[in-house]
Amino acid sequence: MKELNFRRHRRLRSSQAMRSMVKETYLHKEDLIYPIFVMEGENIKNPVSSMPGVFQFSLDTLNAEVDEVVELGIPAVILFGLPAEKDAVGTGAFHDHGIVQEATRQVKERHPELIVIADTCLCEFTDHGHCGVVEGEKILNDASLDVLGRTAVSQAKAGADIIAPSNMMDGFVAAIRAALDEAGFEDVPIMSYAVKYASAYYGPFREAADGAPQFGDRKTYQMDPANRLEAFREADSDIEEGADFLIIKPALSYLDIIRDVRNNYTLPIVAYNVSGEYAMIKAAAQNGWIEEKPVVMETLLGMKRAGADMILTYHAKDVARWLEGK
Ligand code: PBG
Ligand code: ZN
């Protein structure tokens, strides 16, 4: 046979030991951020029907969940709050005894070493379900900034380690940075939802956080899924305004954006593996159509390979267990 000239890539795949040696990307439990939904009331652990394994907790049932997260070695949680009452401005968001503030205090007291990230938005607290204040059907930009600043300060006062504004008003990082600094919280970092698309993948979250818009949609403030260059503009302004981390959201359909941001900026990048991405895997796995563990691991590894440093995911507890071989 004539001698062929080709490379034997399979040499480096010949055994598990060999594959481990040349492995390029790793998932660590230190990369994980676990989202938790807290609501006012007592003795509540409501399953979220579109997100199997995810619950809404009242403060008294929250401890067991957080203990488990700590036990598993997950370093951070992000808290979303469901208030007892909603109003036009979202008063519950910046109330010193609001649900997120109370939950933050409780969790920090019990687990001082756990990083508590407070989601800073208004949609769970406003009766119209939009992320800013409204006038008629218009979502007001500048009028929302003041409310967001107050919300961030009340969260920092309660002990939040990181403020994560998700509302996509222009100037929100500048406004929150100024408010935090003025209140003496210059050391509290901002994890900005810098690149957030108007995505249909948020559907299950709106059930979990009870934050669906009551009219219209979020397309005047969240980004068009068709746009790539706009992600650079969003990241530029958030960095100029003082962001310490950049969140890209959703993750799975936006791996190219994660890579772009990784290649052009040096801030730590968080990929938000959103509710709809979680629901799809859970549903297919429950039907026996895919194997949950390898599919989840491959999906999250893809986000890291794309350039994410951290992953905010509802799979976090399972992943932490699987990484331990449990
Ligand atoms: C609200 C918010 C949303 C998510 C996080 N914060 C929903 C939205 O913007 O409508 C989605 C998270 C998920 O789907 O897991 N500001
Ligand atoms: Zn919102």
Side-chain angles (χ1 to χ4, degrees), residues 77-285:
V77 294
I78 179 164
L79 301 179
F80 294 97
L82 291 85
E85 278 164 36
K86 300 176 190 252
D87 61 21
V89 280
T91 312
F94 55 85
H95 197 286
D96 277 335
H97 297 284
I99 183 67
V100 170
Q101 289 80 358
E102 291 298 342
T104 301
R105 261 184 222 106
Q106 180 178 312
V107 172
K108 284 307 291 183
E109 190 166 322
R110 198 172 166 87
H111 298 290
E113 73 295 350
L114 179 70
I115 293 178
V116 173
I117 305 171
D119 182 83
T120 306
C121 202
L122 305 182
C123 52
E124 293 113 43
F125 303 92
T126 51
D127 49 18
H128 46 75
H130 277 287
C131 303
V133 260
V134 302
E135 193 175 81
E137 304 240 315
K138 193 166 182 237
I139 292 89
L140 301 179
N141 195 84
D142 299 16
S144 303
L145 297 180
D146 174 59
V147 187
L148 288 167
R150 290 170 68 180
T151 303
V153 169
S154 73
Q155 292 169 333
K157 258 198 238 165
D161 297 291
I162 299 178
I163 299 300
S166 62
N167 71 308
M168 290 298 280
M169 295 299 122
D170 290 325
F172 73 127
V173 175
I176 288 174
R177 187 69 272 160
L180 288 173
D181 290 355
E182 199 185 336
F185 295 109
E186 52 278 289
D187 289 333
V188 174
I190 297 177
M191 182 181 277
S192 175
Y193 288 73
V195 182
K196 178 171 176 181
Y197 288 90
S199 172
Y201 283 96
Y202 305 152
F205 177 92
R206 291 177 186 177
E207 179 199 344
D210 187 29
Q214 299 303 301
F215 63 84
D217 53 41
R218 304 212 202 284
K219 290 180 184 165
T220 67
Y221 45 108
Q222 298 180 351
M223 293 164 60
D224 185 335
N227 295 353
R228 169 174 169 258
L229 298 176
E230 193 183 357
F232 292 93
R233 299 200 292 272
E234 281 285 356
D236 281 339
S237 11
D238 284 19
I239 293 170
E240 267 169 43
E241 292 174 29
D244 299 283
F245 300 81
L246 301 175
I247 302 180
I248 295 159
K249 175 179 174 199
L252 195 49
S253 305
Y254 299 86
L255 295 174
D256 56 329
I257 307 295
I258 297 176
R259 170 50 56 193
D260 281 336
V261 172
R262 170 75 300 150
N263 287 353
N264 288 280
Y265 302 94
T266 61
L267 263 58
I269 294 174
V270 184
Y272 196 143
N273 174 217
V274 301
S275 58
E277 299 170 9
Y278 176 85
M280 290 194 303
I281 291 183
K282 283 289 184 181

Side-chain angles (χ1 to χ4, degrees), residues 36-39 44-57 80-83 86 123-124 129 200-214 218 275-276 278-279 314:
I36 298 182
F37 300 96
V38 281
M39 75 193 296
I44 298 166
K45 188 179 171 183
N46 284 340
V48 177
S49 63
S50 51
M51 301 176 74
V54 174
F55 301 83
Q56 299 164 326
F57 296 94
F80 294 97
L82 291 85
K86 300 176 190 252
C123 52
E124 293 113 43
Y201 283 96
Y202 305 152
F205 177 92
R206 291 177 186 177
E207 179 199 344
D210 187 29
Q214 299 303 301
R218 304 212 202 284
S275 58
Y278 176 85
Y314 306 97

